[in-house]
Amino acid sequence: SAVISQKPSRDICQRGTSLTIQCQVDSQVTMMFWYRQQPGQSLTLIATANQGSEATYESGFVIDKFPISRPNLTFSTLTVSNMSPEDSSIYLCSAGDGYTFGSGTRLTVV
Amino acid sequence: DAKTTQPTSMDCAEGRAANLPCNHSTISGNEYVYWYRQIHSQGPQYIIHGLKNNETNEMASLIITEDRKSSTLILPHATLRDTAVYYCIVSPQTDKLIFGTGTRLQVFP
């Protein structure tokens, strides 16, 4: 199975700013997925990122708030824009092999 | 997407088998049963998956009923390090994974 490097592992950000999270996969994968895990909750799928096309967002998530890039088959970024304290969560990426998750980015917005 | 139902929490004594049930009565023919676990503050860890046959690997065994409407994950000799939230998910292979609330397994000495 693939190995994912996700960074940053954690960050504390000021409200109104943006943070870009990066995921690098050690092999080519067609799809990558981005999840959010709010404190004490399960994982919620944000969007599916395919290389060469626009990301597909789940209900409740919009591109203006969570723009995603997928420039090639091994890399993707998720940006959390115009952050508020409600965006404080763990953000995780997953490779489309069905097996592998990044270690997560713990975001705190103050 | 088919949904799953799992008990909210379970306890298991260290060294004993942990049997975690999952109901997925609306599973479709092309959907696999996946199990993941999440240890506190870590990303989800893949455990095992299957379509209709029972599966075993170094971590666990997966027993799927003949009608595929339910399954059981078996950790044969639970250790304290197996304390985690266990998620049962049904999905077509390599498609997006929709997580439910999972079962919080507490292994005690």
Side-chain angles (χ1 to χ4, degrees), chain A residues 31 33 35 37 41-43 45 48 58 90 92 94 96-104 106, chain B residues 34 36 38 40-46 49 87 93-102 104:
Chain A
M31 292 187 290
F33 304 98
Y35 293 84
Q37 187 170 30
Q41 303 295 313
S42 181
L43 283 76
L45 181 66
T48 302
E58 299 296 309
I90 298 173
L92 301 111
S94 169
D97 61 359
Y99 306 121
T100 313
F101 283 77
S103 54
R106 183 179 295 273
Chain B
Y34 290 86
Y36 293 79
Q38 188 175 28
H40 183 62
S41 297
Q42 299 181 19
Q45 177 188 23
Y46 165 82
H49 78 286
Y87 296 99
Q93 197 169 25
T94 72
D95 203 341
K96 59 186 179 183
L97 300 172
I98 305 299
F99 285 75
T101 54
R104 185 173 299 275

Short mmCIF file of all heavy atoms in Angstrom, two decimals, chain A residues 31 33 35 37 41-43 45 48 58 90 92 94 96-104 106, chain B residues 34 36 38 40-46 49 87 93-102 104:
data_model
loop_
_atom_site.label_atom_id
_atom_site.label_comp_id
_atom_site.label_asym_id
_atom_site.label_seq_id
_atom_site.Cartn_x
_atom_site.Cartn_y
_atom_site.Cartn_z
N MET A 31 -7.16 8.68 -7.39
CA MET A 31 -7.98 9.54 -6.54
C MET A 31 -7.31 9.75 -5.19
O MET A 31 -6.64 8.87 -4.65
CB MET A 31 -9.36 8.90 -6.32
CG MET A 31 -10.22 8.86 -7.57
SD MET A 31 -11.89 8.29 -7.23
CE MET A 31 -11.56 6.56 -6.87
N PHE A 33 -8.47 11.67 -1.32
CA PHE A 33 -9.63 12.14 -0.58
C PHE A 33 -9.18 13.00 0.60
O PHE A 33 -8.15 12.74 1.21
CB PHE A 33 -10.45 10.96 -0.05
CG PHE A 33 -10.89 10.00 -1.12
CD1 PHE A 33 -10.19 8.84 -1.36
CD2 PHE A 33 -12.01 10.26 -1.88
CE1 PHE A 33 -10.59 7.94 -2.34
CE2 PHE A 33 -12.41 9.39 -2.87
CZ PHE A 33 -11.70 8.22 -3.10
N TYR A 35 -10.49 14.62 4.33
CA TYR A 35 -11.46 14.45 5.41
C TYR A 35 -11.22 15.50 6.48
O TYR A 35 -10.11 16.00 6.67
CB TYR A 35 -11.31 13.07 6.06
CG TYR A 35 -11.68 11.90 5.18
CD1 TYR A 35 -10.76 11.36 4.29
CD2 TYR A 35 -12.94 11.32 5.26
CE1 TYR A 35 -11.09 10.27 3.50
CE2 TYR A 35 -13.28 10.23 4.47
CZ TYR A 35 -12.36 9.72 3.59
OH TYR A 35 -12.68 8.64 2.80
N GLN A 37 -12.00 15.91 10.72
CA GLN A 37 -12.44 15.25 11.95
C GLN A 37 -12.52 16.30 13.05
O GLN A 37 -11.50 16.72 13.58
CB GLN A 37 -11.50 14.12 12.34
CG GLN A 37 -12.00 13.29 13.52
CD GLN A 37 -11.19 12.04 13.73
OE1 GLN A 37 -10.01 11.99 13.43
NE2 GLN A 37 -11.83 11.00 14.26
N GLN A 41 -15.38 13.66 17.15
CA GLN A 41 -16.28 13.16 16.11
C GLN A 41 -15.57 12.18 15.18
O GLN A 41 -14.35 12.00 15.26
CB GLN A 41 -16.82 14.34 15.28
CG GLN A 41 -17.54 15.40 16.09
CD GLN A 41 -18.81 14.88 16.73
OE1 GLN A 41 -19.61 14.22 16.08
NE2 GLN A 41 -18.98 15.16 18.01
N SER A 42 -16.37 11.57 14.32
CA SER A 42 -15.82 10.69 13.30
C SER A 42 -15.30 11.52 12.12
O SER A 42 -15.38 12.75 12.13
CB SER A 42 -16.92 9.73 12.82
OG SER A 42 -16.42 8.84 11.85
N LEU A 43 -14.78 10.84 11.13
CA LEU A 43 -14.27 11.53 9.95
C LEU A 43 -15.41 11.88 9.00
O LEU A 43 -16.31 11.06 8.77
CB LEU A 43 -13.27 10.65 9.19
CG LEU A 43 -11.87 10.51 9.76
CD1 LEU A 43 -11.85 9.58 10.96
CD2 LEU A 43 -10.91 10.01 8.69
N LEU A 45 -16.06 13.25 5.07
CA LEU A 45 -15.42 13.46 3.77
C LEU A 45 -15.69 14.87 3.28
O LEU A 45 -16.85 15.31 3.25
CB LEU A 45 -15.95 12.44 2.76
CG LEU A 45 -15.37 12.51 1.36
CD1 LEU A 45 -13.87 12.15 1.37
CD2 LEU A 45 -16.12 11.57 0.42
N THR A 48 -13.33 14.74 -3.05
CA THR A 48 -12.52 13.79 -3.81
C THR A 48 -11.71 14.57 -4.83
O THR A 48 -12.27 15.40 -5.56
CB THR A 48 -13.42 12.78 -4.54
OG1 THR A 48 -14.22 12.10 -3.58
CG2 THR A 48 -12.59 11.78 -5.33
N GLU A 58 -18.38 17.21 -1.18
CA GLU A 58 -19.54 16.64 -0.51
C GLU A 58 -20.46 17.76 -0.03
O GLU A 58 -20.07 18.93 0.06
CB GLU A 58 -19.10 15.78 0.67
CG GLU A 58 -18.22 14.61 0.27
CD GLU A 58 -18.94 13.59 -0.61
OE1 GLU A 58 -20.04 13.15 -0.23
OE2 GLU A 58 -18.39 13.24 -1.68
N ILE A 90 -9.01 18.19 12.93
CA ILE A 90 -7.93 17.45 12.29
C ILE A 90 -8.33 17.23 10.83
O ILE A 90 -9.46 16.82 10.55
CB ILE A 90 -7.69 16.10 12.99
CG1 ILE A 90 -7.26 16.32 14.44
CG2 ILE A 90 -6.61 15.30 12.23
CD1 ILE A 90 -7.17 15.03 15.24
N LEU A 92 -7.36 15.28 7.29
CA LEU A 92 -6.62 14.09 6.84
C LEU A 92 -6.81 13.89 5.35
O LEU A 92 -7.88 14.15 4.80
CB LEU A 92 -7.10 12.84 7.57
CG LEU A 92 -6.99 12.84 9.09
CD1 LEU A 92 -8.35 12.88 9.73
CD2 LEU A 92 -6.24 11.60 9.56
N SER A 94 -6.28 10.94 2.17
CA SER A 94 -6.25 9.50 1.95
C SER A 94 -5.93 9.22 0.49
O SER A 94 -6.39 9.94 -0.40
CB SER A 94 -7.62 8.90 2.31
OG SER A 94 -7.71 7.56 1.87
N GLY A 96 -6.21 6.90 -2.84
CA GLY A 96 -7.35 6.18 -3.40
C GLY A 96 -7.18 4.68 -3.45
O GLY A 96 -8.01 3.99 -4.02
N ASP A 97 -6.11 4.17 -2.83
CA ASP A 97 -5.95 2.72 -2.82
C ASP A 97 -6.85 2.06 -1.78
O ASP A 97 -6.92 0.84 -1.68
CB ASP A 97 -4.49 2.33 -2.56
CG ASP A 97 -3.96 2.83 -1.21
OD1 ASP A 97 -4.71 3.48 -0.46
OD2 ASP A 97 -2.79 2.55 -0.91
N GLY A 98 -7.53 2.87 -0.98
CA GLY A 98 -8.45 2.32 0.02
C GLY A 98 -7.79 1.93 1.32
O GLY A 98 -8.45 1.47 2.24
N TYR A 99 -6.49 2.08 1.40
CA TYR A 99 -5.79 1.58 2.57
C TYR A 99 -5.08 2.64 3.40
O TYR A 99 -4.89 2.44 4.59
CB TYR A 99 -4.74 0.55 2.14
CG TYR A 99 -5.28 -0.56 1.29
CD1 TYR A 99 -4.78 -0.78 0.01
CD2 TYR A 99 -6.27 -1.40 1.76
CE1 TYR A 99 -5.27 -1.80 -0.77
CE2 TYR A 99 -6.76 -2.43 0.98
CZ TYR A 99 -6.26 -2.63 -0.28
OH TYR A 99 -6.74 -3.64 -1.07
N THR A 100 -4.70 3.72 2.77
CA THR A 100 -3.70 4.58 3.39
C THR A 100 -4.23 5.97 3.70
O THR A 100 -4.83 6.61 2.83
CB THR A 100 -2.48 4.72 2.46
OG1 THR A 100 -2.11 3.45 1.98
CG2 THR A 100 -1.32 5.35 3.20
N PHE A 101 -3.97 6.41 4.93
CA PHE A 101 -4.29 7.76 5.35
C PHE A 101 -3.02 8.48 5.78
O PHE A 101 -2.07 7.85 6.27
CB PHE A 101 -5.26 7.73 6.53
CG PHE A 101 -6.68 7.43 6.15
CD1 PHE A 101 -7.06 6.13 5.86
CD2 PHE A 101 -7.62 8.43 6.05
CE1 PHE A 101 -8.36 5.84 5.49
CE2 PHE A 101 -8.93 8.15 5.69
CZ PHE A 101 -9.29 6.84 5.40
N GLY A 102 -3.04 9.79 5.60
CA GLY A 102 -2.00 10.59 6.20
C GLY A 102 -2.16 10.62 7.70
O GLY A 102 -3.19 10.20 8.25
N SER A 103 -1.15 11.17 8.36
CA SER A 103 -1.18 11.21 9.82
C SER A 103 -2.01 12.36 10.36
O SER A 103 -2.27 12.44 11.56
CB SER A 103 0.25 11.29 10.37
OG SER A 103 0.91 12.39 9.78
N GLY A 104 -2.46 13.24 9.48
CA GLY A 104 -3.37 14.29 9.90
C GLY A 104 -2.67 15.60 10.20
O GLY A 104 -1.48 15.64 10.55
N ARG A 106 -3.44 18.79 12.66
CA ARG A 106 -4.27 19.31 13.75
C ARG A 106 -4.24 20.83 13.68
O ARG A 106 -3.22 21.45 13.94
CB ARG A 106 -3.76 18.81 15.10
CG ARG A 106 -4.62 19.25 16.28
CD ARG A 106 -4.05 18.70 17.58
NE ARG A 106 -4.11 17.24 17.62
CZ ARG A 106 -5.14 16.54 18.03
NH1 ARG A 106 -6.22 17.17 18.46
NH2 ARG A 106 -5.10 15.22 18.06
N TYR B 34 -14.99 -2.99 4.67
CA TYR B 34 -13.68 -2.55 5.14
C TYR B 34 -13.73 -2.32 6.65
O TYR B 34 -14.73 -1.86 7.18
CB TYR B 34 -13.29 -1.22 4.49
CG TYR B 34 -12.96 -1.28 3.02
CD1 TYR B 34 -13.94 -1.18 2.05
CD2 TYR B 34 -11.64 -1.42 2.61
CE1 TYR B 34 -13.63 -1.22 0.70
CE2 TYR B 34 -11.31 -1.46 1.26
CZ TYR B 34 -12.32 -1.36 0.31
OH TYR B 34 -12.00 -1.40 -1.02
N TYR B 36 -11.36 -0.35 9.61
CA TYR B 36 -10.25 0.52 9.98
C TYR B 36 -10.32 0.75 11.48
O TYR B 36 -11.35 0.57 12.11
CB TYR B 36 -10.37 1.89 9.29
CG TYR B 36 -10.22 1.86 7.80
CD1 TYR B 36 -11.27 1.46 6.98
CD2 TYR B 36 -9.01 2.21 7.21
CE1 TYR B 36 -11.12 1.41 5.61
CE2 TYR B 36 -8.86 2.16 5.83
CZ TYR B 36 -9.92 1.76 5.05
OH TYR B 36 -9.77 1.71 3.68
N GLN B 38 -8.80 3.68 14.54
CA GLN B 38 -8.13 4.94 14.79
C GLN B 38 -7.75 4.99 16.26
O GLN B 38 -8.63 5.03 17.14
CB GLN B 38 -9.02 6.12 14.42
CG GLN B 38 -8.29 7.46 14.47
CD GLN B 38 -9.14 8.60 13.98
OE1 GLN B 38 -10.36 8.58 14.06
NE2 GLN B 38 -8.49 9.64 13.47
N HIS B 40 -6.04 6.98 19.28
CA HIS B 40 -6.15 8.39 19.64
C HIS B 40 -5.07 9.23 18.99
O HIS B 40 -3.89 8.92 19.07
CB HIS B 40 -6.09 8.54 21.15
CG HIS B 40 -6.28 9.94 21.62
ND1 HIS B 40 -7.44 10.66 21.39
CD2 HIS B 40 -5.45 10.79 22.26
CE1 HIS B 40 -7.31 11.86 21.90
NE2 HIS B 40 -6.11 11.98 22.44
N SER B 41 -5.52 10.30 18.31
CA SER B 41 -4.63 11.31 17.72
C SER B 41 -3.83 10.82 16.52
O SER B 41 -2.90 11.48 16.10
CB SER B 41 -3.65 11.86 18.77
OG SER B 41 -4.34 12.51 19.80
N GLN B 42 -4.19 9.67 16.00
CA GLN B 42 -3.51 9.18 14.80
C GLN B 42 -4.49 9.09 13.63
O GLN B 42 -5.70 9.13 13.82
CB GLN B 42 -2.89 7.80 15.05
CG GLN B 42 -1.84 7.79 16.15
CD GLN B 42 -1.25 6.42 16.35
OE1 GLN B 42 -1.34 5.55 15.48
NE2 GLN B 42 -0.63 6.20 17.49
N GLY B 43 -3.96 8.96 12.41
CA GLY B 43 -4.81 8.74 11.26
C GLY B 43 -5.38 7.33 11.27
O GLY B 43 -4.85 6.43 11.93
N PRO B 44 -6.49 7.10 10.57
CA PRO B 44 -7.06 5.75 10.52
C PRO B 44 -6.08 4.74 9.95
O PRO B 44 -5.31 5.05 9.04
CB PRO B 44 -8.27 5.92 9.60
CG PRO B 44 -8.63 7.36 9.69
CD PRO B 44 -7.32 8.07 9.87
N GLN B 45 -6.13 3.54 10.49
CA GLN B 45 -5.26 2.45 10.06
C GLN B 45 -6.11 1.36 9.44
O GLN B 45 -7.06 0.88 10.05
CB GLN B 45 -4.50 1.89 11.26
CG GLN B 45 -3.61 0.70 10.94
CD GLN B 45 -3.03 0.08 12.20
OE1 GLN B 45 -3.57 0.22 13.30
NE2 GLN B 45 -1.92 -0.63 12.05
N TYR B 46 -5.78 0.98 8.23
CA TYR B 46 -6.48 -0.11 7.56
C TYR B 46 -6.23 -1.42 8.32
O TYR B 46 -5.10 -1.70 8.75
CB TYR B 46 -5.99 -0.25 6.12
CG TYR B 46 -6.37 -1.55 5.44
CD1 TYR B 46 -7.62 -1.71 4.87
CD2 TYR B 46 -5.47 -2.60 5.37
CE1 TYR B 46 -7.97 -2.90 4.25
CE2 TYR B 46 -5.80 -3.79 4.75
CZ TYR B 46 -7.06 -3.93 4.19
OH TYR B 46 -7.39 -5.11 3.57
N HIS B 49 -10.22 -6.19 4.72
CA HIS B 49 -11.45 -6.01 3.96
C HIS B 49 -11.81 -7.32 3.28
O HIS B 49 -10.96 -8.21 3.11
CB HIS B 49 -11.35 -4.86 2.96
CG HIS B 49 -10.58 -5.19 1.71
ND1 HIS B 49 -9.21 -5.31 1.69
CD2 HIS B 49 -10.99 -5.41 0.45
CE1 HIS B 49 -8.79 -5.58 0.47
NE2 HIS B 49 -9.87 -5.65 -0.32
N TYR B 87 -13.88 1.21 12.89
CA TYR B 87 -14.88 1.62 11.91
C TYR B 87 -15.12 0.50 10.89
O TYR B 87 -14.18 -0.02 10.30
CB TYR B 87 -14.42 2.87 11.15
CG TYR B 87 -14.27 4.10 11.99
CD1 TYR B 87 -13.02 4.50 12.44
CD2 TYR B 87 -15.38 4.89 12.31
CE1 TYR B 87 -12.88 5.66 13.20
CE2 TYR B 87 -15.23 6.04 13.08
CZ TYR B 87 -13.99 6.41 13.51
OH TYR B 87 -13.84 7.55 14.26
N GLN B 93 -14.73 -0.96 -4.21
CA GLN B 93 -13.27 -0.95 -4.02
C GLN B 93 -12.66 0.32 -4.56
O GLN B 93 -12.99 0.79 -5.64
CB GLN B 93 -12.65 -2.16 -4.71
CG GLN B 93 -11.24 -2.44 -4.24
CD GLN B 93 -10.74 -3.78 -4.72
OE1 GLN B 93 -11.20 -4.28 -5.72
NE2 GLN B 93 -9.79 -4.34 -4.00
N THR B 94 -11.80 0.93 -3.78
CA THR B 94 -11.07 2.16 -4.08
C THR B 94 -11.96 3.38 -4.26
O THR B 94 -11.53 4.40 -4.73
CB THR B 94 -10.15 2.02 -5.32
OG1 THR B 94 -10.94 1.97 -6.50
CG2 THR B 94 -9.28 0.81 -5.20
N ASP B 95 -13.21 3.29 -3.85
CA ASP B 95 -14.08 4.46 -3.89
C ASP B 95 -13.96 5.22 -2.57
O ASP B 95 -13.25 4.80 -1.66
CB ASP B 95 -15.53 4.03 -4.12
CG ASP B 95 -16.37 5.13 -4.74
OD1 ASP B 95 -15.94 6.31 -4.65
OD2 ASP B 95 -17.45 4.83 -5.26
N LYS B 96 -14.65 6.33 -2.48
CA LYS B 96 -14.59 7.11 -1.25
C LYS B 96 -15.14 6.29 -0.08
O LYS B 96 -16.03 5.48 -0.24
CB LYS B 96 -15.37 8.41 -1.41
CG LYS B 96 -16.84 8.21 -1.73
CD LYS B 96 -17.51 9.54 -2.01
CE LYS B 96 -18.98 9.34 -2.36
NZ LYS B 96 -19.63 10.62 -2.72
N LEU B 97 -14.60 6.55 1.08
CA LEU B 97 -15.00 5.86 2.30
C LEU B 97 -15.81 6.81 3.16
O LEU B 97 -15.35 7.90 3.48
CB LEU B 97 -13.77 5.38 3.06
CG LEU B 97 -12.86 4.40 2.30
CD1 LEU B 97 -11.59 4.16 3.10
CD2 LEU B 97 -13.58 3.09 2.03
N ILE B 98 -17.00 6.40 3.52
CA ILE B 98 -17.87 7.19 4.37
C ILE B 98 -17.85 6.56 5.76
O ILE B 98 -18.31 5.44 5.94
CB ILE B 98 -19.30 7.26 3.83
CG1 ILE B 98 -19.30 7.77 2.38
CG2 ILE B 98 -20.17 8.13 4.72
CD1 ILE B 98 -18.73 9.17 2.22
N PHE B 99 -17.32 7.31 6.72
CA PHE B 99 -17.15 6.80 8.07
C PHE B 99 -18.42 7.02 8.89
O PHE B 99 -19.01 8.09 8.85
CB PHE B 99 -15.98 7.51 8.76
CG PHE B 99 -14.63 7.04 8.29
CD1 PHE B 99 -14.14 7.45 7.06
CD2 PHE B 99 -13.86 6.21 9.08
CE1 PHE B 99 -12.90 7.02 6.62
CE2 PHE B 99 -12.62 5.77 8.65
CZ PHE B 99 -12.14 6.16 7.42
N GLY B 100 -18.81 6.00 9.64
CA GLY B 100 -19.86 6.15 10.64
C GLY B 100 -19.23 6.53 11.97
O GLY B 100 -18.11 7.06 12.02
N THR B 101 -19.93 6.23 13.03
CA THR B 101 -19.45 6.62 14.36
C THR B 101 -18.53 5.60 14.98
O THR B 101 -17.80 5.90 15.91
CB THR B 101 -20.63 6.87 15.31
OG1 THR B 101 -21.47 5.71 15.31
CG2 THR B 101 -21.44 8.08 14.85
N GLY B 102 -18.52 4.36 14.47
CA GLY B 102 -17.58 3.36 14.94
C GLY B 102 -17.89 2.79 16.31
O GLY B 102 -18.84 3.19 16.98
N ARG B 104 -16.03 2.12 19.95
CA ARG B 104 -14.88 2.40 20.81
C ARG B 104 -14.57 1.15 21.63
O ARG B 104 -15.34 0.77 22.51
CB ARG B 104 -15.18 3.58 21.72
CG ARG B 104 -14.00 4.02 22.57
CD ARG B 104 -14.32 5.31 23.33
NE ARG B 104 -14.62 6.41 22.41
CZ ARG B 104 -13.71 7.19 21.85
NH1 ARG B 104 -12.42 6.99 22.09
NH2 ARG B 104 -14.07 8.16 21.04
#
